[in-house]
Amino acid sequence: MECPGNSPEDQAFTDLVLPGVSDEKDFEQLQKDLEEKPDLSSKSDVSAEHQLTEFQNKMTNSRTGVRPPTDPSDCLRWFNLRIHNCFSPVATGHDELMDFLTALQHYLRSEEEGKEEATLQLLLDVSAQCGVCFPRTPSSPSSLQPQLSASSIHLVHTVKDDASLEIQEAWDDVRLQLRRHLLDRLSSRGPEHPGSGHVCALTVPERIRCLQQLFFLYPESEVLTYYQHLRIRSVMGLLSALSSSPGGETGFDRLAISFHSVVPVLTRALADELHVLSRLTELHTLLAFLNTAYLSTVARGLATLMEKEYETALRDNTTLGGKIKKYSAKSRATVAPMELPMKNRSFSLTSHQLRALTQLACTLLEFERIVKELVANMTFAESIGGSPCVKGVLKKRRGDSHVMTHGKNTTTETHLHTAEAQVLEFDWRSAFQELVPHMAHCVKVVLDDACAKNLQQEEAMHSLGHTSVTLCLTRELTTVTARKACLREDSIFTCEERETPRMIAKFCGAITKELDALLPLAAACRDSTLLEVRSSFVEACGKAAFALLDRLQERAMEVPCSAPLKNLPAWLATCIHVCQRLESYHATLNDSNTAAAQVRLTLLPIQKCQNTVEELKDQLTSYCIQVCSTCVLQDEESHQWADPKPFYEGERCSFSVQMWFYFLCGLRSDLWAVLPAGIAKEVLGQVLSETLQLLVQRYAGARPSYKRHLQVRCDITTVLLYVEQLMWSLCESPEALVYPSPCSVDAITAGPSDWLNQIHNLCEQLLTVLVVVTAPLSLLHRVFMIDHPQASEPHRPSSSVAHWLNTINPDLFTERAVRDGLAGQAAAWCQLRLLTSDPGLNPRLLLRTLLHRDCHLTRTLLENSYFCQSCLEVSTESSKAGDDFIVALFNLFSCLNNAPKALTQVLQPYLEKRARMWEDLYTLADTTQTAPVVISCVRAIIAKSSKSLLVHLVSMVIGWQASEEPSAAVFKWSVPEGVLEKVPKKWKYAPLEARVNESAANALISLTIQTLSFILTNLPLAIVAIPLPVRYLFFMAEKQLSQHSRQLRLMGLLLWALLGCLIQSLEDPQALEQISGLTLDMGAKEPLSLLAECLQAVMGIHQKGVPKPSLHKVLQTLEEKRPKWASIQLQKAHKLCSDSVFEQGGESRVAAAELTEQKIGLMLLEVCHKAGGSNYLRQIYHIIQGNEELLMLKLGGSLNSPSDIPRLVNFDFGSEHPVDATGFNPLHQFDHIGKKKLDQSALISWAWDWPRLLSAYRGMSRVTFRTLLANRWEMQDGAEVDDEDKAMVEELQEAYLVCSCSPGPQDPLAADETQANPTQGETTI
């Protein structure tokens, strides 16, 4: 069925924001709906043209006999001219008019209550009913010239009369008294203390009404000038109270604290002013008003207060005869005075005063940002019709003011109405001009003093023999900086958590903390007159950076002579921190202002920091490699390969191999503790790769005796186990672990991993040495001498260099996994192992792990928690921690629109154990009963979606109150009969008291129809604003609520809940006031209550008792205008919750293959853009990390798990996260691989599948095979072998070790090596 034409209210809603990555089905549905509107508009245009034609015919039959033009646009212009020309002069007598005005004068001078309101309503009523246009001439004496005759009071186009001056004076007296009354109302102040939050005691509708009445009496510019003076006095009164501080602070401290307390009041006043003036004036006028009444007043008030404090500081800080007086007890140090020509007196700020000024600048920057956002939001709403327009005679009359003065613009236009004033002007920075040289000097001295002081303290500690670095957490520095700074996030340089060092040198943290503290002051000083302060900050910052870098380089050179190795990672982390802070300062001070752009941090210190980072990283890597090559791997006893005696009876590996792994574990702990994750992995990977190459060279050249060849096998087996353990800490993803070649790793992990690929190649080479040198001779002979003619090509099970992983751990890295990738349970276990072995939180890997296999890991967490266990008592702390975890899960998965079914899959165990929860979704709007935390989260999502609807509804009601409601309410004050009798008879005025009630009722019904139409029109947008995962949760819940199928058949569960929450909010005035930020009186509650009842009727909820007549009238009128339109709108919104939407938004299964890096990146972007998204990821990560052993057991990857693993998930880890509790335990790590104890004797008897291994290496390079074959103990001169082995040895020697130049067929291993094209991992050793 076609929908009737749209009303303006249908398209007025603009505040709903679609999700960041919404479903395409949503946009298709919305586009389809929008495409229907042009058709409707065209039909409406056709109807309008038809009605216009009929009206033309009627006008032709009029007394003039003139037919209007046929063109619609020309016709409308013709009608407009006719409207003005239809006013014919009516001779209103001078005496009759003077009697009326005199009666009004006497009435206004009486003592009757409400006389001004009654008079205003009478004048407005006469003007609206009788077409009387009262003069709105300026009140200045120069403008009081004879302009209007007696009849011109009634008509626009009349001639002048000499008696008009007497009438004008009487009229001026009347409106003067009315103006005083209205200005007195507008000047009424709220509570004087700053916490009141009000500059004016009147509500927004009352202020709008007062200004409209003033516009009826005076020109707009003059009214705004009066109103501007009132607001200036209010703001100045507010600022004057700042001279006294309740906390007893003095000086700039008092100023900073006071402004911090008064800014919320000013912000609230500005927000109210925007609501008022946006309905009455144009944008440029509004901005000019704000500039003059608020921003300039704040700047002047601040300048006055600053001047007083400046004089006080000048008196207290001035040094006479070289003596310096301390400013206050809070000052820790007084900055040395600078020489300024100030009448033989030198003045300087203290460091404490400078910090107070910085705090003041932060407060003002925040105030500036909030005001800009308020104006931007209002401008955006008005640009697309979002701000409701106040209708009525007062606003309509503004357009006719120029006609009443015979074409002459008699208004005294001020700067309020200049079209150029279209930008906000924040002049508060000018208040700092007097202090610029002192602030610039103080900034430089404070920062230089902080830098020198901390460097001296570090030097003193170093001279006392404290060679270890004293560290501090960067997380604490970041928290302090975020709490104190007021700069916008998009204006500063930010680093990801994985790119930020975890700990740095304490003295460096203290210096950067001082720089961060003064950064807002430098950022605020962007005007040309304040650039000296920014220049001082830049200079001091560069000087401090160079001093820090010199100290870091100096201390790094002491390793290893006089400082331990663990200092090097700390110095590297500190240098990275300095580099990141300098980049942040550069981005913050990179102002678009031309003058400010010339004063910014240069790239020279940043470049030096980057170079120093590379130097320290190379020093750390090369030193670790040197330590391993010269000390750790030098074990003469272990490397006596020709010794006929077994090494320690063949029951252990070499000491050097064990200490090599021990050293790498300690290095990993040191790197993990301080460095960013990426750099820590890179350093450890390079050290592992280079030292592993040394081991390959060692064992490839070893020629062991019979008693020592098992030691080679044991050592290589141990090395491969050690490397496999370290690889979990180095890889970013399962693909990087199994497919490390550059062509695949770059595509999957989006980063170069040359050292990772080299590690795999070296491990393959070690495995080749183990196979050729230590395999049983009989099997080697059979594979390479007997079975090789059957093979026409190599029999490697996989071309991947990760084949060695299959050999070491065949249960996890099966041949299929090495060939095709990990899948199923093995992939889940692998992802969990990689996640918990990482230096810190890896958001991409965590999100991928959580979504893998239909969120299997997350469901395992809930299934093994107290949530899904019956009859379990938990402590209050554990219950709260569990609820926090559920909230984190919900908030994380609810924003993943690319995986719409993930939220329901995660909560499935939780919901199934609590069947009542489906019913809670049906009664979501009921807040009287205690609901589970999940229901509270869902309710918050629905409330957020409906918030914009409610804000707009409140705005519509307030606009209606300002234009319609006062015309009815004002009749509680009646005009005396004597005044009514003096109204000129020819005006034919009839009092409206009899029609007040009927008019008010009709206005209320009209408003309710508008608001109800607005809600129904924007329901699809409200549904689209709800994330897809939440919509799918309601979709699945609806299937569980078959008992409510009748109620949900038309609209579905989600619409039922959304409308229910809307109704509940409409019936709660306090909630509406909190949402909208506006005060609602009793007049606003009645239409909102009626709207709630209409929504209940639309939902099919039967009212208790007899329905109100107004309710029936609203629904009937809406149905007559738009038949079945409400049902159509509900069906449109319901389509956005259908199954097809979710099937298109995401597949039914969230498989690992579908989780490409691009999709994970988009999801991670959604999470990080959500408020608190990073914290939710971190919270979930800590829970997973703390329950690693339990999860490993449940996933089936830990076969030899200890028996003391807890059976239930622990959500409460106290204040310390599991990641902070882990560390390097030397006694434990010495004989363990990870958490398993290393049984070295078992490595000797490792069950190798020799036939499969030898077959796999049958196609290896001939040079490699010949070289390694010569190292076997049987091939050495004087080896004692039996006859059978001797025959096999001779055959192998003849085939591979003896040069044969005779022509003839060659075996596969004898083929030309340039044509063999060996696979990766088979390079010649």
Side-chain angles (χ1 to χ4, degrees):
M1 175 179 292
E2 295 181 355
C3 179
N6 296 357
S7 65
E9 290 78 11
D10 298 345
Q11 305 177 31
F13 188 48
T14 60
D15 290 339
L16 279 181
V17 181
L18 301 183
V21 183
S22 188
D23 184 67
E24 295 179 1
K25 192 73 175 179
D26 296 338
F27 294 108
E28 291 178 2
Q29 183 66 36
L30 290 174
Q31 184 178 5
K32 182 179 179 182
D33 295 340
L34 292 175
E35 287 174 353
E36 295 176 357
K37 291 187 176 181
D39 298 336
L40 300 175
S41 299
S42 62
K43 295 177 182 179
S44 300
D45 295 339
V46 173
S47 177
E49 291 179 3
H50 178 69
Q51 295 176 4
L52 188 59
T53 303
E54 293 182 354
F55 193 51
Q56 286 175 339
N57 297 330
K58 292 181 180 180
M59 289 297 298
T60 305
N61 298 327
S62 65
R63 66 182 179 214
T64 60
V66 180
R67 179 178 176 85
T70 56
D71 183 69
S73 58
D74 294 338
C75 183
L76 291 176
R77 285 194 294 269
W78 184 83
F79 284 142
N80 189 37
L81 292 175
R82 296 277 296 178
I83 290 173
H84 289 288
N85 294 332
C86 69
F87 288 106
S88 59
V90 177
T92 303
H94 173 273
D95 295 336
E96 192 176 9
L97 188 56
M98 277 301 300
D99 290 342
F100 173 65
L101 295 177
T102 304
L104 289 179
Q105 288 177 303
H106 291 306
Y107 176 55
L108 290 173
R109 293 191 184 101
S110 66
E111 299 297 330
E112 293 190 25
E113 185 179 3
K115 55 183 180 297
E116 294 88 357
E117 293 294 336
T119 303
L120 281 168
Q121 186 57 41
L122 173 62
L123 295 174
L124 292 170
D125 199 10
V126 167
S127 177
Q129 183 186 145
C130 308
V132 177
C133 299
F134 294 95
R136 297 192 307 132
T137 56
S139 59
S140 58
S142 60
S143 63
L144 294 179
Q145 299 175 359
Q147 295 179 1
L148 299 178
S149 64
S151 60
S152 68
I153 293 294
H154 171 55
L155 301 173
V156 176
H157 301 281
T158 55
V159 296
K160 299 181 181 179
D161 192 286
D162 294 337
S164 61
L165 181 58
E166 183 182 5
I167 298 176
Q168 183 69 47
E169 291 177 351
W171 168 242
D172 286 344
D173 182 65
V174 170
R175 62 177 183 164
L176 176 61
Q177 297 184 61
L178 296 177
R179 185 186 74 186
R180 289 173 179 172
H181 166 73
L182 294 173
L183 292 180
D184 286 342
R185 291 197 64 199
L186 288 172
S187 63
S188 58
R189 289 288 305 275
E192 294 297 332
H193 55 85
S196 64
H198 296 279
V199 172
C200 180
L202 296 183
T203 62
V204 170
E206 290 173 338
R207 272 188 270 178
I208 293 175
R209 181 65 179 176
C210 286
L211 289 174
Q212 283 182 322
Q213 291 171 339
L214 283 171
F215 287 162
F216 175 78
L217 301 173
Y218 292 94
E220 177 181 328
S221 59
E222 185 173 347
V223 173
L224 291 179
T225 301
Y226 291 139
Y227 188 53
Q228 173 182 293
H229 293 327
L230 294 179
R231 294 284 79 84
I232 290 175
R233 287 203 299 268
S234 299
V235 175
M236 290 302 295
L238 196 63
L239 296 179
S240 63
L242 301 182
S243 57
S244 60
S245 175
E249 292 83 2
T250 58
F252 293 114
D253 275 330
R254 175 179 57 199
L255 196 57
I257 295 174
S258 300
F259 255 90
H260 183 73
S261 64
V262 84
V263 158
V265 183
L266 291 173
T267 303
R268 177 64 182 270
L270 276 166
D272 290 344
E273 216 66 75
L274 286 171
H275 280 94
V276 172
L277 296 179
S278 63
R279 293 173 170 85
L280 301 173
T281 64
E282 302 299 332
L283 176 61
H284 63 86
T285 305
L286 187 151
L287 295 181
F289 181 89
L290 295 183
N291 287 335
T292 306
Y294 284 91
L295 303 183
S296 297
T297 305
V298 170
R300 291 195 303 270
L302 176 64
T304 302
L305 296 172
M306 287 282 285
E307 185 178 359
K308 293 180 180 179
E309 301 301 338
Y310 173 73
E311 293 175 355
T312 303
L314 179 65
R315 181 179 62 254
D316 294 344
N317 296 9
T318 297
T319 57
L320 300 175
K323 294 183 180 181
I324 302 176
K325 179 180 180 181
K326 292 186 178 180
Y327 166 62
S328 67
K330 294 183 178 180
S331 298
R332 290 175 291 178
T334 302
V335 179
M338 56 182 296
E339 295 182 1
L340 293 175
M342 297 179 60
K343 299 180 180 180
N344 299 326
R345 299 188 301 174
S346 59
F347 166 69
S348 58
L349 291 171
T350 65
S351 60
H352 185 77
Q353 290 172 329
L354 185 65
R355 286 174 175 80
L357 290 172
T358 303
Q359 182 183 353
L360 177 61
C362 283
T363 302
L364 293 171
L365 282 174
E366 180 69 10
F367 172 66
E368 181 175 321
R369 181 186 66 81
I370 294 175
V371 172
K372 287 181 179 179
E373 288 182 354
L374 288 173
V375 175
N377 293 337
M378 183 274 299
T379 305
F380 174 76
E382 284 197 343
S383 64
I384 50 182
S387 181
C389 180
V390 176
K391 302 175 182 179
V393 64
L394 298 188
K395 190 164 185 178
K396 177 181 176 182
R397 294 272 289 113
R398 286 162 42 202
D400 301 331
S401 60
H402 66 284
V403 181
M404 298 168 55
T405 56
H406 304 281
K408 295 172 61 178
N409 188 5
T410 60
T411 58
T412 56
E413 296 290 341
T414 64
H415 60 280
L416 284 174
H417 285 301
T418 56
E420 291 77 7
Q422 295 186 6
V423 294
L424 294 174
E425 299 174 357
F426 297 92
D427 298 330
W428 56 265
R429 291 176 176 84
S430 60
F432 290 81
Q433 290 182 4
E434 292 292 334
L435 291 172
V436 165
H438 314 292
M439 288 193 300
H441 176 69
C442 189
V443 165
K444 185 177 182 302
V445 173
V446 166
L447 292 180
D448 290 347
D449 178 69
C451 181
K453 178 181 178 181
N454 285 280
L455 289 176
Q456 290 173 3
Q457 291 178 352
E458 191 276 337
E459 179 65 31
M461 295 292 292
H462 182 267
S463 61
L464 293 176
H466 296 277
T467 56
S468 297
V469 186
T470 304
L471 302 175
C472 66
L473 291 172
T474 55
R475 183 171 56 195
E476 298 176 355
L477 296 176
T478 305
T479 302
V480 173
T481 303
R483 185 172 62 248
K484 289 187 177 181
C486 56
L487 304 176
R488 296 193 59 173
E489 291 186 4
D490 56 1
S491 67
I492 62 175
F493 176 86
T494 56
C495 296
E496 293 184 3
E497 183 179 359
R498 289 179 62 80
E499 300 175 357
T500 306
R502 301 184 64 185
M503 300 182 73
I504 61 171
K506 187 175 181 180
F507 74 92
C508 176
I511 295 175
T512 56
K513 184 178 178 181
E514 291 289 339
L515 292 171
D516 290 340
L518 295 181
L519 177 63
L521 182 61
C525 296
R526 58 190 302 269
D527 292 349
S528 57
T529 56
L530 306 179
L531 290 182
E532 186 179 352
V533 179
R534 178 176 291 196
S535 179
S536 295
F537 177 85
V538 170
E539 179 184 354
C541 184
K543 184 177 179 181
F546 285 117
L548 280 173
L549 293 177
D550 292 341
R551 180 61 56 89
L552 293 177
Q553 290 176 324
E554 178 185 349
R555 292 292 179 257
M557 296 301 297
E558 298 177 357
V559 179
C561 299
S562 58
L565 171 61
K566 68 177 183 179
N567 282 11
L568 266 183
W571 299 132
L572 176 58
T574 304
C575 190
I576 294 173
H577 175 75
V578 173
C579 185
Q580 291 176 351
R581 296 314 302 153
L582 291 179
E583 290 173 344
S584 172
Y585 302 154
H586 177 76
T588 303
L589 301 179
N590 190 13
D591 205 306
S592 58
N593 189 332
T594 305
Q598 300 175 359
V599 182
R600 59 183 180 183
L601 189 64
T602 62
L603 297 177
L604 182 60
I606 299 177
Q607 185 64 43
K608 184 175 181 180
C609 276
Q610 294 172 347
N611 295 336
T612 307
V613 168
E614 294 299 324
E615 293 173 1
L616 293 179
K617 186 167 63 175
D618 293 341
Q619 179 184 354
L620 175 60
T621 304
S622 59
Y623 176 71
C624 291
I625 296 172
Q626 182 181 3
V627 168
C628 289
S629 61
T630 58
C631 299
V632 177
L633 294 179
Q634 296 302 318
D635 183 10
E636 183 178 356
E637 182 182 3
S638 301
H639 304 152
Q640 295 178 0
W641 305 118
D643 193 339
K645 297 181 180 179
F647 182 71
Y648 278 79
E649 304 300 328
E651 294 182 354
R652 65 163 295 123
C653 64
S654 299
F655 290 113
S656 59
V657 172
Q658 189 174 4
M659 294 307 299
W660 169 73
F661 178 66
Y662 184 78
F663 173 81
L664 290 179
C665 289
L667 176 63
R668 177 180 61 180
S669 177
D670 292 339
L671 297 177
W672 268 215
V674 296
L675 287 175
I679 295 181
K681 288 188 175 187
E682 183 181 353
V683 171
L684 181 61
Q686 290 179 357
V687 173
L688 175 60
S689 175
E690 295 294 333
T691 56
L692 193 60
Q693 190 170 359
L694 298 175
L695 292 174
V696 170
Q697 294 173 359
R698 167 181 296 176
Y699 291 106
R703 307 191 70 179
S705 63
Y706 171 69
K707 296 292 187 179
R708 287 294 182 107
H709 85 283
L710 293 181
Q711 182 189 352
V712 173
R713 182 189 299 174
C714 179
D715 284 357
I716 294 178
T717 304
T718 306
V719 169
L720 293 179
L721 289 175
Y722 285 156
V723 174
E724 190 246 355
Q725 173 66 26
L726 293 173
M727 290 296 285
W728 294 108
S729 301
L730 295 175
C731 295
E732 295 280 344
S733 65
E735 290 79 10
L737 181 62
V738 180
Y739 298 120
S741 58
C743 61
S744 60
V745 172
D746 288 349
I748 297 173
T749 61
S753 302
D754 295 338
W755 50 266
L756 188 62
N757 187 59
Q758 187 177 2
I759 291 172
H760 280 281
N761 280 323
L762 293 172
C763 289
E764 283 292 322
Q765 294 176 17
L766 279 176
L767 185 59
T768 303
V769 173
L770 181 144
V771 170
V772 177
V773 177
T774 68
L777 180 62
S778 58
L779 295 177
L780 182 71
H781 177 268
R782 186 180 69 185
V783 170
F784 286 91
M785 297 303 298
I786 300 176
D787 297 340
H788 71 80
Q790 303 174 4
S792 59
E793 61 182 13
H795 282 71
R796 296 295 298 272
S798 173
S799 60
S800 172
V801 295
H803 170 61
W804 66 277
L805 290 173
N806 168 254
T807 307
I808 293 297
N809 193 351
D811 295 331
L812 179 61
F813 301 101
T814 62
E815 292 186 5
R816 181 176 180 180
V818 173
R819 182 178 64 253
D820 302 329
L822 293 165
Q825 200 85 350
W829 190 91
C830 181
Q831 288 177 346
L832 177 60
R833 180 76 182 275
L834 288 172
L835 185 66
T836 55
S837 301
D838 199 87
L841 170 62
N842 187 342
R844 287 179 177 267
L845 181 58
L846 174 60
L847 195 56
R848 182 175 181 178
T849 304
L850 294 175
L851 293 173
H852 182 68
R853 293 184 66 205
D854 293 342
C855 310
H856 179 66
L857 177 67
T858 318
R859 286 189 287 112
T860 302
L861 271 172
L862 292 180
E863 288 172 354
N864 294 275
S865 67
Y866 74 88
F867 290 113
C868 299
Q869 305 294 328
S870 58
C871 302
L872 282 180
E873 295 184 1
V874 295
S875 63
T876 304
E877 292 77 10
S878 298
S879 177
K880 184 180 182 304
D883 288 344
D884 292 341
F885 177 71
I886 292 293
V887 171
L889 282 180
F890 182 90
N891 290 327
L892 173 65
F893 284 95
S894 63
C895 63
L896 300 181
N897 290 286
N898 280 321
K901 301 185 179 181
L903 176 64
T904 306
Q905 291 168 347
V906 167
L907 297 177
Q908 185 177 357
Y910 181 71
L911 297 174
E912 288 179 350
K913 291 292 183 180
R914 305 189 178 197
R916 170 67 188 172
M917 203 166 297
W918 303 116
E919 188 69 23
D920 290 335
L921 290 176
Y922 179 76
T923 59
L924 188 67
D926 185 10
T927 58
T928 58
Q929 297 181 356
T930 303
V933 65
V934 170
I935 300 302
S936 300
C937 294
V938 175
R939 186 182 292 123
I941 292 287
I942 302 301
K944 182 179 180 181
S945 174
S946 62
K947 177 180 178 180
S948 297
L949 283 171
L950 293 171
V951 170
H952 196 85
L953 289 172
V954 171
S955 181
M956 292 175 69
V957 171
I958 289 179
W960 170 80
Q961 280 186 285
S963 59
E964 302 291 344
E965 190 184 52
S967 63
V970 79
F971 277 97
K972 63 182 179 180
W973 312 113
S974 59
V975 180
E977 290 293 334
V979 176
L980 293 177
E981 292 175 355
K982 297 297 182 180
V983 177
K985 303 299 181 182
K986 292 186 178 181
W987 290 357
K988 299 179 182 179
Y989 170 70
L992 295 178
E993 287 89 340
R995 292 181 285 164
V996 168
N997 295 332
E998 181 181 356
S999 175
N1002 292 334
L1004 179 61
I1005 291 175
S1006 177
L1007 173 67
T1008 308
I1009 293 175
Q1010 293 179 18
T1011 53
L1012 182 60
S1013 300
F1014 166 75
I1015 291 177
L1016 294 176
T1017 301
N1018 292 283
L1019 269 182
L1021 282 176
I1023 294 297
V1024 171
I1026 299 174
L1028 274 175
V1030 179
R1031 281 189 263 170
Y1032 184 77
L1033 177 64
F1034 277 93
F1035 175 76
M1036 295 302 295
E1038 189 175 342
K1039 297 181 179 180
Q1040 307 291 330
L1041 297 172
S1042 57
Q1043 68 274 21
H1044 301 294
S1045 58
R1046 184 180 61 84
Q1047 294 90 333
L1048 303 179
R1049 185 181 299 111
L1050 175 63
M1051 63 186 67
L1053 180 60
L1054 180 56
L1055 268 177
W1056 179 273
L1058 176 61
L1059 292 176
C1061 290
L1062 267 175
I1063 294 171
Q1064 195 273 337
S1065 298
L1066 290 173
E1067 294 175 345
D1068 187 358
Q1070 293 182 353
L1072 284 177
E1073 290 180 354
Q1074 292 179 355
I1075 292 173
S1076 63
L1078 300 174
T1079 304
L1080 299 177
D1081 54 16
M1082 292 301 298
K1085 296 175 184 178
E1086 182 181 357
L1088 293 174
S1089 176
L1090 179 59
L1091 175 61
E1093 295 177 2
C1094 292
L1095 285 176
Q1096 290 178 343
V1098 171
M1099 295 174 62
I1101 301 177
H1102 298 290
Q1103 300 289 331
K1104 296 181 180 179
V1106 180
K1108 296 180 180 179
S1110 56
L1111 170 63
H1112 177 73
K1113 182 67 174 178
V1114 168
L1115 298 178
Q1116 181 181 5
T1117 306
L1118 182 62
E1119 184 65 21
E1120 291 174 355
K1121 291 183 177 180
R1122 296 179 168 188
K1124 298 185 179 180
W1125 178 71
S1127 300
I1128 294 175
Q1129 291 301 114
L1130 293 177
Q1131 291 174 6
K1132 286 182 180 180
H1134 193 198
K1135 287 180 182 179
L1136 297 172
C1137 309
S1138 61
D1139 194 22
S1140 59
V1141 175
F1142 309 113
E1143 291 298 336
Q1144 187 172 350
E1147 299 298 331
S1148 57
R1149 286 183 59 85
V1150 185
E1154 300 167 356
L1155 295 176
T1156 61
E1157 279 299 305
Q1158 183 179 7
K1159 181 176 286 189
I1160 290 293
L1162 290 175
M1163 292 182 181
L1164 194 59
L1165 196 61
E1166 286 181 313
V1167 173
C1168 293
H1169 282 180
K1170 182 181 178 69
S1174 300
N1175 293 331
Y1176 299 140
L1177 284 173
R1178 191 177 299 107
Q1179 184 178 353
I1180 296 171
Y1181 169 70
H1182 290 319
I1183 297 298
I1184 293 175
Q1185 193 177 36
N1187 296 277
E1188 177 186 0
E1189 294 183 354
L1190 174 61
L1191 292 174
M1192 288 286 189
L1193 177 64
K1194 296 299 179 180
L1195 293 178
S1198 185
L1199 301 178
N1200 299 321
S1201 301
S1203 58
D1204 58 347
I1205 293 180
R1207 299 180 61 86
L1208 288 178
V1209 173
N1210 179 22
F1211 296 113
D1212 185 17
F1213 291 99
S1215 59
E1216 185 173 333
H1217 292 300
V1219 68
D1220 299 326
T1222 59
F1224 178 70
N1225 186 350
L1227 299 178
H1228 178 270
Q1229 194 64 57
F1230 180 75
D1231 57 352
H1232 280 71
I1233 298 182
K1235 297 181 179 180
K1236 296 180 181 179
K1237 186 175 179 62
L1238 177 63
D1239 187 0
Q1240 298 192 30
S1241 59
L1243 299 179
I1244 303 296
S1245 57
W1246 187 280
W1248 295 99
D1249 189 357
W1250 294 113
R1252 187 175 66 87
L1253 279 175
L1254 291 169
S1255 299
Y1257 287 93
R1258 198 160 52 197
M1260 65 186 300
S1261 167
R1262 181 179 179 84
V1263 174
T1264 301
F1265 181 78
R1266 182 170 61 236
T1267 303
L1268 295 178
L1269 182 64
N1271 292 340
R1272 290 183 65 92
W1273 69 271
E1274 297 95 341
M1275 303 297 173
Q1276 300 176 20
D1277 296 338
E1280 299 180 358
V1281 294
D1282 53 22
D1283 295 338
E1284 182 179 359
D1285 292 344
K1286 185 175 183 181
M1288 291 186 288
V1289 169
E1290 291 175 352
E1291 290 184 23
L1292 289 170
Q1293 288 177 340
E1294 182 178 357
Y1296 297 103
L1297 301 182
V1298 178
C1299 180
S1300 176
C1301 300
S1302 59
Q1306 296 180 345
D1307 56 271
L1309 290 177
D1312 190 352
E1313 295 179 15
T1314 60
Q1315 303 176 1
N1317 190 19
T1319 58
Q1320 265 187 317
E1322 300 174 2
T1323 56
T1324 302
I1325 302 177

